[in-house]
Amino acid sequence: MRILSIETSCDETAIAIIDVEGSSPDLKFTVLANQVHSQIDLHKQYGGVFPMMAKREHARTLVPLLKSALREAGIYKEGSRHVVESPLRNEFKQMLEREPEMYAQFINDIPQLSPPQIDLIAVTTGPGLEPALWVGINFAKAISLVWKTPLMPINHMEGHLLSPLLKRTETGFSMNIPTLPLLGLLVSGGHTEIVLMRDWGIYEVVGQTLDDAAGEAFDKVARMLGLPYPGGPEISKLAKRGTAGNFNFPRPMLHTKNNDFSFSGLKTSVLYKIKELPNITDEQKADIAYDFQEACVEVLTVKTLNAIKEYSAQSVVVGGGVSANARLKEVLTERVTRDEQILVYFPEPAEATDNALMIGVAAAVKFPSAIPALEKILANGNWKISEK
Ligand code: KG4
Ligand code: ZN
């Protein structure tokens, strides 16, 4: 089965094409294309993601990105003009009417292509920025219609939860089959949650942040230190030059009996410390980065350990952009393997942040679950992984 997947929930426009073999979840993936167009340079100047700008950039990028993904996969075929029937033309004109620039590119380019051999299209429909999600969804619906290919909606967090299970092979990846129940720590720019997977595709959110997401805290603290967006990689780079224990930052909710998190108090505490240092030196900044990162890592690790015990989890995945953090990987893996003797899976850094590969993988794992009619496929900015 060949899957084309599309991701536009935040500030990366991404398209992947994979060939899938095996039966779910024992799958092998050949990666034919994996294109990620990052909007970071665009948003950097504003210190964060602007939803309307993200949406416009997705709309500008999707048609050229699709063409380069097809080229990368070696299935780009021009020439035999594929006639778009007139009733269909009206339908996708309506689908794309909110994105005139994308419609113009679409009508100019897509009917020139012979429909590639794709069995399933997958698109992120939530959670994320709704205007950004809609661009990807409408684009996916239009190609689904033109190429007469079914379209499957995918939850972005399910992609983050499954991508740590990918094991690299010569041509792509195979799926690690973890012992269940599996506990997922999902840490991204918009989410921080602990998810329990007792069976494949069945999720329960057993803990979550009450305020900021972990990635958001990294981004905000980076900004306070004058570092560019996104702040996570910047903080971890700066922390390498810092020394421990100069700043005693709080570990919010470390000892509460539930599995919830809070990062806003930690962020505020960093802000106060910085305010006390009007002539802050580069060394002090590095020390702050170090101790802030330690506080985050400790809270995430201890809460994960507690949840493993509470639910007798037999394996752990850590997913989402913050899972690219080397210190989190080091500490959490060390503690979980030492205290619980169970396997911990982290994604490779390239697959930790947003990409479309994980959306294709989630679609392959879910297949052949029922595929809704196109008009039922809608953006849901707050779609919880535990909701159908
Ligand atoms: O999953 P992701 O790419 O996008 C969302 O779905 O939000 O996560 C992005 C977040 C950003 O907040 C970014 O600062 C954070 O992941 N991040 C990191 C690292 N790399 C990315 N946080 C800490 N350490 C990192 N190395
Ligand atoms: Zn994400």
Side-chain angles (χ1 to χ4, degrees):
M1 182 174 55
R2 184 167 290 171
I3 303 179
L4 181 140
S5 50
I6 300 164
E7 157 63 42
T8 64
S9 69
C10 189
D11 59 350
E12 324 282 351
T13 320
I15 297 183
I17 303 172
I18 53 174
D19 274 344
V20 187
E21 273 173 73
S23 56
S24 178
D26 189 8
L27 297 168
K28 287 192 172 45
F29 306 100
T30 304
V31 180
L32 303 180
N34 187 10
Q35 303 259 334
V36 182
H37 169 83
S38 170
Q39 303 178 359
I40 282 174
D41 286 342
L42 186 73
H43 298 290
K44 223 171 197 161
Q45 50 189 318
Y46 307 100
V49 181
F50 268 64
M52 295 322 276
M53 210 186 280
K55 169 198 140 108
R56 219 176 309 132
E57 188 68 3
H58 289 309
R60 227 176 48 75
T61 309
L62 277 166
V63 171
L65 200 70
L66 174 65
K67 288 166 71 182
S68 46
L70 293 173
R71 277 202 190 92
E72 187 188 346
I75 52 172
Y76 181 95
K77 248 199 242 137
E78 221 175 310
S80 58
R81 186 174 169 81
H82 168 67
V83 180
V84 178
E85 302 93 309
S86 47
L88 275 189
R89 203 180 171 97
N90 276 341
E91 262 186 81
F92 67 70
K93 188 167 186 183
Q94 274 169 15
M95 271 170 191
L96 302 177
E97 70 187 349
R98 281 159 179 268
E99 327 298 341
E101 195 185 355
M102 184 160 83
Y103 177 68
Q105 287 185 32
F106 195 94
I107 206 73
N108 199 36
D109 287 9
I110 302 303
Q112 318 294 334
L113 304 175
S114 336
Q117 186 255 311
I118 303 269
D119 303 299
L120 179 69
I121 301 170
V123 65
T124 304
T125 58
L129 306 168
E130 280 199 5
L133 288 164
W134 271 119
V135 179
I137 294 169
N138 288 332
F139 176 76
K141 285 183 178 180
I143 54 174
S144 156
L145 209 61
V146 179
W147 291 345
K148 301 188 174 60
T149 307
L151 177 64
M152 190 190 271
I154 296 292
N155 185 300
H156 180 83
M157 301 316 286
E158 188 169 13
H160 276 312
L161 186 125
L162 294 172
S163 65
L165 295 173
L166 294 175
K167 184 168 67 184
R168 202 171 277 286
T169 62
E170 243 168 57
T171 51
F173 297 94
S174 64
M175 199 80 183
N176 274 308
I177 310 292
T179 320
L180 304 182
L182 169 95
L183 195 81
L185 171 68
L186 302 182
V187 273
S188 70
H191 289 81
T192 296
E193 54 197 25
I194 297 184
V195 174
L196 184 68
M197 183 174 105
R198 291 187 207 268
D199 204 351
W200 286 86
I202 315 274
Y203 305 107
E204 203 181 317
V205 177
V206 298
Q208 58 197 317
T209 182
L210 305 179
D211 41 57
D212 292 350
E216 194 179 353
F218 271 88
D219 294 338
K220 287 177 175 168
V221 166
R223 204 171 167 176
M224 293 172 200
L225 292 171
L227 299 168
Y229 173 84
E234 299 288 333
I235 295 270
S236 71
K237 203 162 42 164
L238 184 61
K240 289 203 179 99
R241 291 195 275 117
T243 44
N246 292 299
F247 297 91
N248 248 331
F249 294 127
R251 271 75 171 141
M253 301 187 71
L254 189 63
H255 301 295
T256 51
K257 290 245 172 328
N258 54 36
N259 301 304
D260 292 336
F261 302 91
S262 163
F263 289 98
S264 110
L266 170 59
K267 169 196 73 187
T268 311
S269 160
V270 175
L271 180 68
Y272 287 150
K273 279 279 177 332
I274 293 174
K275 280 198 171 145
E276 284 167 19
L277 302 165
N279 301 313
I280 188 166
T281 63
D282 285 350
E283 209 179 322
Q284 284 170 323
K285 284 186 181 177
D287 292 346
I288 288 176
Y290 188 100
D291 282 336
F292 163 74
Q293 179 171 265
E294 288 305 296
C296 287
V297 166
E298 188 179 352
V299 173
L300 293 170
T301 301
V302 170
K303 289 278 177 173
T304 302
L305 280 165
N306 292 347
I308 292 170
K309 286 199 189 75
E310 182 175 348
Y311 296 99
S312 306
Q314 299 302 305
S315 52
V316 174
V317 292
V318 184
V322 182
S323 69
N325 187 283
R327 183 69 180 147
L328 176 64
K329 183 174 179 181
E330 178 188 30
V331 174
L332 193 141
T333 307
E334 207 253 325
R335 290 286 305 277
V336 173
T337 37
R338 189 192 70 196
D339 296 359
E340 300 297 326
Q341 286 105 41
I342 63 174
L343 284 179
V344 182
Y345 302 93
F346 271 78
E348 295 195 19
E351 272 77 56
T353 47
D354 288 351
N355 63 82
L357 182 66
M358 67 184 195
I359 303 306
V361 167
V365 169
K366 288 169 88 88
F367 193 80
S369 71
I371 289 173
L374 281 193
E375 66 272 14
K376 295 262 164 63
I377 299 181
L378 308 170
N380 179 356
N382 299 313
W383 186 13
K384 282 216 165 315
I385 191 172
S386 50
E387 287 164 10
K388 276 273 160 253

